[in-house]
Amino acid sequence: MEHVPPPAEELALLDRELAQLDARRAQLLTRRAWLVSALQPQAPNAARWSTPPVGHGWAPGQPWGSAPRAAKPSGPPRSAQNVLLTLGGLLLTVAAVAFTLVSWGSMGIGGRSAVLALVTLAALAAPVVLLRRKLAATAEALAALALVLTLLDAYAVHAVAAPDADGLTFTAVASAVLAALWTAYGLALGKLHLPLPAAVFFVQWPLLLGAWAAGAPAIVVGWALLATAVLDGAIALWGKGPGVRVTAGIGLAVMGSAALLTGLGESLTADGPLGAVLPGALLLTAAVAALAGAWRAPNGYAQLGGVVAGLAAAAAVGGVLRAAAPGTWHVPVYLLCGLALLSVVRAPLPRSAGRGVLAAAGAVVAGALVWALPPVAAVLLGPVELVAEVWAGAPDGFRGALGESMRWSESAAAPVVLAVVAGLLGAAYRWWPSLVRVAAPLVSPGAAARGAAGAGALALGWGALLLAAATLGVPYPVAVALEMVLVAGLLLVAVRGAERGTGASADGTGSAAGGRSAVAVTALVAAVGGAVSVGLLSLAAEAATYAVFGALVVLFAGAALRTRAVVEQAVCAVAAVVWGTVLTGCAARSLELAPHEAAPLLLVVPAVTVLLGARLRLHPVALPVELTGALGALVAVGLAVPDAPFLALVLALCGVLAAGAAVRPERRPAAGYVAAVLFVAATWVRLAASEVSAPEAYTLPVTVPALVVGVLRRRKDPEASSWTAYGPGLAATLLPSLAVAWTDPDWLRPLLLGVAALVITLLGAKYRLQALLLLGGAVLALDTLHELAPYVVQVAGALPRWLPPALAGLLLLAVGATYEQRLRDARKLKDLLGRMR
């Protein structure tokens, strides 16, 4: 008779055959692609075929040729020529330096001057001849040598002709002379790339070193740096060749930055308004120069020039005003100067330069906000200290609840900064179409920008109110009431914004909806953060705690019921569950309950979430609410751990809640298993707490009816899993008995448990039941290990020390040698277990 395998086994065989066919197909396609490429027309000097592809599995009939090689160039490559010229120039340079520094003293003054002059003139004249013969690379190498020789000439002149001259002064004069010399040389020999960039490099030093040598004050040095930067900017705009422009651009960045930093430092350290005038003039001149350069520069550089011009102008005017203002108001002064830059939208500037000035205004505003936001964080996070002393008594004022780490007198201007920026962003959000028309010549902001403006106005206004209350030192009840009012207002904005954001805008463009959506999200995030802050703040007094958390539950639950947006609804509902859990914990503390005694009380909120989930059913908010309630139940279990009887009670109650959730079909797959585990765990904990030495007397009455129910379930539904039918009943007895058997010195219980596990394992193998086979086998293996452990230890002690590693090595070698067979066996075992129920 022909053996017909079961459908599952036949399906596995077909899958393996198809996989082999796919692999063979890919192999043949690879070979075909190579053959097609081999038949393409080849280069005349190339070999007929290249190396065959790897992994084809068979060799072709004809011999294979070597891989095709490119024809060698007729002459030496340019890279080799450049290397040779570079090495030659370096050797000549080293020789010249050695001659100047070492052999200088062995010759007379005339000889030394004649030698250096002749060598320098020869090095300067040689590129002229070489360029006529079209040897440009050699000419560049000799020009580099001539550059080094001119530096050595300058050193020689200082050492011989002017040894008493000041070093800085002589260097400044020498830099000017060398800049003029190499400028003329580079213009005369326009085909050389080195002379003009070298001249630009020498231009950087005369003014700076001259001012330094004269002992000029810092402001004069700043003017020298600025003049050099302006010259670099002119060269970068109108210079000849990319090398000249790049070198000038680098000089412009370095010297310009140094000039701006010098002017800013002098402005910040000025004693009064008059002392800040000269640094301000330097900064304003730099701003004018940057703006003039931006007028003619390409787009990217023009925008960068606009940024520099805007920042320099704000620093110049702000420095003078800062010197006349009190210390706490320095940042608002700079903020106003930065905001004044917004008037550039009306100025007749190029688009890129105007955008740069607007970016500078944004940078100034961002810097002011960075200074003002840390006090807001201190207001929000300061009440964390109250967690260590819950209900210790209401403090004297808002500052007392925030701690003494902040110097509130130095932050008096921070609320003003936040309020000013919030007001401007709010005005922009409110009159957005007019703003777009005004700013159209420079920028074209979209709906996302409007949403960001509205969100920023809301967040900064909220922070300004909180920080103003802390700065003014309002009483504690007023602070709590203010924060609660702000939370309620933010929730109202979030609910209304979410409702408007779900629909289309009036004009059909969606811009209004986008802005409202961003505002609604920001309001919701701020509401949750404010709720956490006011909740922590209320921990100072018992009455305030109940009032605040009760109001938070009502507010967030009402917001969840009012809004229709799913995300906002879920966040509000989850927050309401969290505040309710905290409220039950506070009730337990008021009743003076121990932590383990308070655990059952904390299960009130999870029970409500289970009922609410049954009411919501398939609503998207149901799952987040139930998961949050489950986290509250987990907290209750953690509180009950120190006391075993209460832990058993809490686990049982959690099991009841999970079983209640499992009544619903959509929760049954997960909640059913959780309920079974919780009930079994509660039973074990209860038995352990009662010091029961024979748990079978309590578990067998549960196991027997559970197995009967499982048999009936399997008869009614043969496709039902054995884990669902028999797993809970078997685990209820086997696992507690195994735990007791490991600590039982007697032999009777391990023997009976092993026999029962063996019978269960054999039944599982016979009837192809996965739960019986795995549970029985695992318990049997652990029980056997427990019984054989003393003998194993005794034998291990008698064996030589080298024998266990040797046996382990042999085992690894055997497994490695038969790895493929072991892998196939493992797959067969996996398939066998998968076919079991």
Side-chain angles (χ1 to χ4, degrees):
M1 295 179 63
E2 183 179 356
H3 172 68
V4 178
E9 184 175 352
E10 186 177 1
L11 179 62
L13 292 174
L14 291 176
D15 289 340
R16 285 196 290 270
E17 291 292 337
L18 290 174
Q20 293 177 0
L21 289 175
D22 290 339
R24 182 58 178 167
R25 175 180 171 80
Q27 185 181 56
L28 293 175
L29 288 175
T30 302
R31 178 63 183 172
R32 182 183 181 280
W34 179 86
L35 290 173
V36 170
S37 64
L39 293 175
Q40 297 294 331
Q42 303 290 327
N45 296 330
R48 186 173 182 182
W49 294 301
S50 61
T51 304
V54 178
H56 54 78
W58 46 275
Q62 70 275 14
W64 300 101
S66 59
R69 297 179 182 177
K72 294 183 179 180
S74 57
R78 295 287 297 175
S79 58
Q81 181 184 5
N82 293 335
V83 170
L84 293 176
L85 292 174
T86 303
L87 289 177
L90 286 176
L91 291 176
L92 290 175
T93 302
V94 171
V97 172
F99 168 76
T100 305
L101 298 179
V102 178
S103 301
W104 187 259
S106 60
M107 300 179 64
I109 183 65
R112 288 177 288 183
S113 302
V115 169
L116 272 179
L118 289 176
V119 172
T120 303
L121 290 175
L124 290 173
V128 179
V129 179
L130 294 173
L131 287 176
R132 291 177 181 176
R133 298 186 179 183
K134 298 182 179 181
L135 299 176
T138 308
E140 291 285 353
L142 289 178
L145 175 62
L147 176 63
V148 176
L149 289 175
T150 54
L151 293 175
L152 294 176
D153 288 336
Y155 168 76
V157 170
H158 179 264
V160 176
D164 298 330
D166 179 65
L168 290 176
T169 304
F170 184 85
T171 305
V173 174
S175 299
V177 172
L178 289 175
L181 171 64
W182 282 100
T183 300
Y185 190 75
L187 293 176
L189 301 179
K191 294 183 179 180
L192 291 180
H193 299 89
L194 180 64
L196 290 179
V200 174
F201 173 78
F202 289 126
V203 164
Q204 312 301 315
W205 308 110
L207 293 178
L208 174 62
L209 295 180
W212 194 359
I219 191 65
V220 177
V221 175
W223 281 104
L225 291 170
L226 180 60
T228 305
V230 170
L231 180 59
D232 287 331
I235 297 173
L237 287 175
W238 296 294
K240 180 182 178 181
V244 174
R245 294 184 177 183
V246 170
T247 307
I250 295 174
L252 171 62
V254 175
M255 296 298 178
S257 299
L260 291 174
L261 291 177
T262 303
L264 181 61
E266 291 295 308
S267 177
L268 292 176
T269 57
D271 296 333
L274 294 178
V277 170
L278 289 179
L282 173 63
L283 292 172
L284 278 179
T285 305
V288 172
L291 201 59
W295 206 291
R296 299 178 178 272
N299 289 337
Y301 296 103
Q303 190 165 349
L304 180 60
V307 171
V308 173
L311 292 177
V317 179
V320 177
L321 299 178
R322 179 206 63 85
T328 56
W329 297 93
H330 288 174
V331 174
V333 166
Y334 283 106
L335 175 63
L336 293 178
C337 295
L339 294 176
L341 296 175
L342 297 176
S343 60
V344 73
V345 295
R346 293 291 187 179
L349 290 177
R351 185 179 180 89
S352 297
R355 284 183 174 183
V357 177
L358 288 180
V364 174
V365 173
L369 291 179
V370 169
W371 172 81
L373 288 179
V376 178
V379 173
L380 292 175
L381 301 178
V384 174
E385 299 178 357
L386 298 176
V387 177
E389 300 179 357
V390 177
W391 298 348
D396 296 334
F398 194 12
R399 294 183 183 179
L402 301 178
E404 302 297 334
S405 58
M406 284 293 298
R407 298 180 180 179
W408 299 106
S409 60
E410 299 179 0
S411 304
V416 177
V417 171
L418 296 175
V420 169
V421 179
L424 289 176
L425 292 177
Y429 179 76
R430 175 64 179 83
W431 292 286
W432 188 255
S434 301
L435 178 64
V436 171
R437 286 194 299 269
V438 172
L442 296 182
V443 291
S444 301
R450 185 188 184 190
L458 183 67
L460 294 177
W462 170 58
L465 290 175
L466 290 179
L467 190 54
T471 304
L472 296 175
V474 299
Y476 175 75
V478 176
V480 174
L482 174 64
E483 290 207 36
M484 282 303 304
V485 171
L486 289 177
V487 171
L490 290 170
L491 281 177
L492 181 61
V493 173
V495 171
R496 290 186 175 180
E499 290 178 353
R500 295 174 181 173
T502 53
S505 60
D507 56 358
T509 61
S511 60
R516 287 164 185 156
S517 177
V519 173
V521 171
T522 304
L524 184 60
V525 173
V528 174
V532 174
S533 178
V534 71
L536 294 173
L537 186 64
S538 68
L539 296 179
E542 184 176 3
T545 301
Y546 282 106
V548 167
F549 281 102
L552 289 177
V553 171
V554 174
L555 287 174
F556 279 89
L561 294 174
R562 182 68 177 82
T563 184
R564 295 180 181 180
V566 175
V567 176
E568 285 80 358
Q569 197 174 38
V571 172
C572 292
V574 168
V577 173
V578 173
W579 311 142
T581 305
V582 175
L583 201 58
T584 55
C586 294
R589 181 178 177 85
S590 297
L591 296 175
E592 297 182 355
L593 299 177
H596 62 274
E597 295 173 340
L601 184 60
L602 289 180
L603 295 178
V604 173
V605 175
V608 173
T609 59
V610 171
L611 297 176
L612 187 60
R615 177 69 176 83
L616 296 174
R617 296 189 68 81
L618 297 178
H619 195 281
V621 179
L623 182 59
V625 168
E626 291 180 84
L627 291 178
T628 308
L631 291 178
L634 186 61
V635 173
V637 171
L639 292 176
V641 166
D643 190 274
F646 270 92
L647 178 60
L649 174 62
V650 172
L651 289 173
L653 293 175
C654 293
V656 171
L657 296 178
V663 173
R664 297 153 52 197
E666 67 273 11
R667 298 286 184 263
R668 187 171 300 154
Y673 288 112
V674 173
V677 171
L678 289 173
F679 282 132
V680 173
T683 304
W684 296 347
V685 173
R686 181 68 261 183
L687 294 177
S690 302
E691 299 181 356
V692 174
S693 59
E696 295 82 4
Y698 300 90
T699 57
L700 283 175
V702 177
T703 296
V704 173
L707 293 178
V708 172
V709 172
V711 172
L712 296 177
R713 169 78 182 279
R714 288 274 296 175
R715 286 183 179 179
K716 183 178 179 180
D717 183 13
E719 297 298 324
S721 172
S722 61
W723 288 101
T724 305
Y726 306 121
L730 292 175
T733 295
L734 290 178
L735 297 181
S737 298
L738 179 63
V740 176
W742 269 74
T743 59
D744 191 354
D746 201 1
W747 58 273
L748 182 59
R749 176 179 278 108
L751 176 61
L752 295 176
L753 179 62
V755 172
L758 178 61
V759 172
I760 293 171
T761 304
L762 294 176
L763 290 175
K766 179 179 180 180
Y767 294 103
R768 304 176 67 83
L769 298 175
Q770 190 180 98
L772 275 67
L773 181 63
L774 294 182
L775 272 177
V779 173
L780 179 61
L782 293 174
D783 185 66
T784 305
L785 178 62
H786 171 263
E787 293 302 306
L788 295 179
Y791 304 101
V792 172
V793 173
Q794 184 178 0
V795 171
L799 292 176
R801 296 294 180 90
W802 55 267
L803 189 57
L807 294 176
L810 290 175
L811 177 63
L812 292 176
L813 288 176
V815 172
T818 60
Y819 176 75
E820 296 295 335
Q821 182 62 37
R822 301 287 79 78
L823 190 60
R824 287 193 292 270
D825 295 341
R827 289 173 178 170
K828 290 180 180 178
L829 180 59
K830 178 184 176 182
D831 296 338
L832 180 62
L833 290 176
R835 290 193 294 271
M836 289 184 177
R837 286 293 177 185

